[in-house]
């Protein structure tokens, strides 16, 4: 099953991912600086970090005064998130395609889900759970692989289908095969708009200047075409 491949891949790469997350250009100088601009003021807010990985976002948000509860399918990632944030935050092993039973209705101000939804085939239940745990007018902030980039990168010939795709990542130690789901743009947005949210901002991110220094080749590529897409969905009152 794809989920097992995803779990195994992140279990294997967790330690290296954790070691690199502060400086890996696609995370540190592309995803995070852009995705973070979509979060409202976080001080005093309760944030659900869905697919928290090694807890880098949680660290940043807690320094700014948020309370964070993180979930990730990979036990190794959850251990590392706890190590990174030893005095604050709660982190749990959890598959986001299952119900978030630990989280009460209308208890969160923000759900953050960075670079993870593309590992889930059917987003409907996940988005319905985000809706349930959010307070009225609460926001979900998402970053995902850009659907147009995935279409090109995986040389798809079936734009309108949701397809299982895989590639090999070489940037986190030993090469690791990573499976995910490529889907059309509409399938990235409609699970939100059909389940009680409106999209109020969509961002096709640009890399920061630090990226140019760290990796000039990909800096140029990302200025020519986006690899990721970020958006904010707001719970209708
Ligand atoms: C690219 S990492 C992003 C981690 C973190 N959000 C960040 O940006 O630093 C993707 C994460 O999604 C997690 N993940 C994948 N499928 C998941 C699922 N079904 N439920 C929960 N977490 C999942 C992986 O274990 C991994 O930690």
């Amino acid at each position: 099953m794809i989920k097992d491949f995803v779990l195994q891949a992140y279990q294997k790469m967790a330690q290296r991912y954790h070691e690199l997350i502060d400086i890996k250009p696609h995370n540190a100088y592309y995803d995070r600086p852009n995705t973070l601009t979509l979060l409202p003021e976080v001080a005093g807010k309760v944030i659900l970090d869905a697919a928290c990985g090694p807890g880098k976002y949680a660290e940043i948000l807690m320094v700014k005064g948020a309370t964070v509860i993180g979930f990730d399918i990979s036990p190794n990632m959850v251990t590392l998130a706890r190590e990174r944030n030893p005095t604050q935050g709660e982190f749990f092993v959890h598959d986001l395609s299952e119900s978030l039973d630990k989280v009460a209705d209308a208890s969160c101000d923000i759900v953050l889900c960075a670079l993870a939804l593309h590992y889930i085939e059917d987003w409907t239940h996940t988005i319905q759970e985000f809706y349930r745990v959010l307070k009225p007018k609460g926001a979900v902030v998402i970053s995902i692989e850009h659907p147009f980039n995935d279409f090109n990168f995986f040389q798809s010939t079936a734009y309108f289908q949701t397809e299982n795709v895989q590639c090999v990542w070489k940037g986190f130690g030993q090469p690791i095969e990573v499976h995910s789901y490529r889907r059309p743009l509409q399938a990235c947005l409609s699970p939100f708009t059909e389940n009680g949210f409106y999209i109020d901002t969509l961002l096709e991110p640009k890399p920061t200047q630090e990226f140019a220094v760290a990796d000039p080749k990909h800096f140029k590529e990302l200025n020519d075409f986006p690899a990721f897409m970020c958006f904010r969905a707001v719970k209708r009152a």
Side-chain angles (χ1 to χ4, degrees), residues 15-237:
Q15 182 60 37
R16 196 70 188 125
Y17 195 95
H18 164 71
E19 288 162 6
L20 291 176
I21 193 78
D22 289 309
I23 52 152
K24 190 103 172 60
H26 278 80
N27 299 89
Y29 311 134
Y30 187 52
D31 173 55
R32 282 201 303 275
N34 285 285
T35 303
L36 286 168
T37 65
L38 298 185
L39 269 77
E41 173 60 50
V42 302
K45 301 285 172 58
V46 176
I47 302 181
L48 192 159
D49 187 353
C52 59
K56 181 64 194 176
Y57 268 106
E59 179 186 25
I60 293 168
L61 297 170
M62 290 191 292
V63 165
K64 293 181 178 185
T67 298
V68 176
I69 177 167
F71 294 93
D72 199 283
I73 199 169
S74 157
N76 289 349
M77 286 291 197
V78 170
T79 299
L80 292 163
R82 289 178 182 145
E83 278 177 28
R84 182 181 290 270
N85 300 286
T87 60
Q88 290 187 87
E90 290 184 284
F91 300 94
F92 300 101
V93 177
H94 180 77
D95 174 1
L96 287 172
S97 34
E98 308 286 336
S99 299
L100 287 157
D101 293 334
K102 284 191 172 59
V103 189
D105 295 1
S107 58
C108 300
D109 298 285
I110 300 165
V111 174
L112 167 70
C113 188
L115 300 179
L117 274 182
H118 42 266
Y119 298 117
I120 295 175
E121 183 171 15
D122 183 349
W123 295 1
T124 307
H125 185 64
T126 308
I127 306 305
Q128 287 171 346
E129 280 294 276
F130 291 170
Y131 184 89
R132 180 185 66 75
V133 302
L134 276 172
K135 298 175 185 172
K137 298 188 183 172
V140 186
V141 172
I142 301 291
S143 63
I144 50 172
E145 307 271 0
H146 196 298
F148 299 167
N149 188 60
D150 270 6
F151 181 73
N152 290 338
F153 182 81
F154 293 111
Q155 301 183 323
S156 175
T157 54
Y159 177 76
F160 289 106
Q161 286 177 23
T162 295
E163 303 173 298
N164 169 224
V165 290
Q166 61 268 334
C167 61
V168 175
W169 287 9
K170 296 183 176 158
F172 296 100
Q174 57 177 316
I176 294 181
E177 188 170 80
V178 177
H179 290 247
S180 61
Y181 293 94
R182 182 213 67 74
R183 71 196 73 213
L185 175 61
Q186 183 176 320
C188 299
L189 304 182
S190 61
F192 291 88
T193 56
E194 291 173 3
N195 286 289
F197 291 94
Y198 64 90
I199 311 287
D200 85 334
T201 315
L202 189 146
L203 181 63
E204 292 181 305
K206 292 276 185 71
T208 64
Q209 279 307 312
E210 289 101 320
F211 201 126
V213 177
D215 183 347
K217 175 177 172 281
H218 286 109
F219 178 77
K220 177 168 184 333
E221 281 181 22
L222 292 171
N223 272 292
D224 291 340
F225 201 87
F228 297 165
M229 181 174 89
C230 315
F231 58 94
R232 181 170 61 201
V234 180
K235 179 173 177 170
R236 291 183 188 280

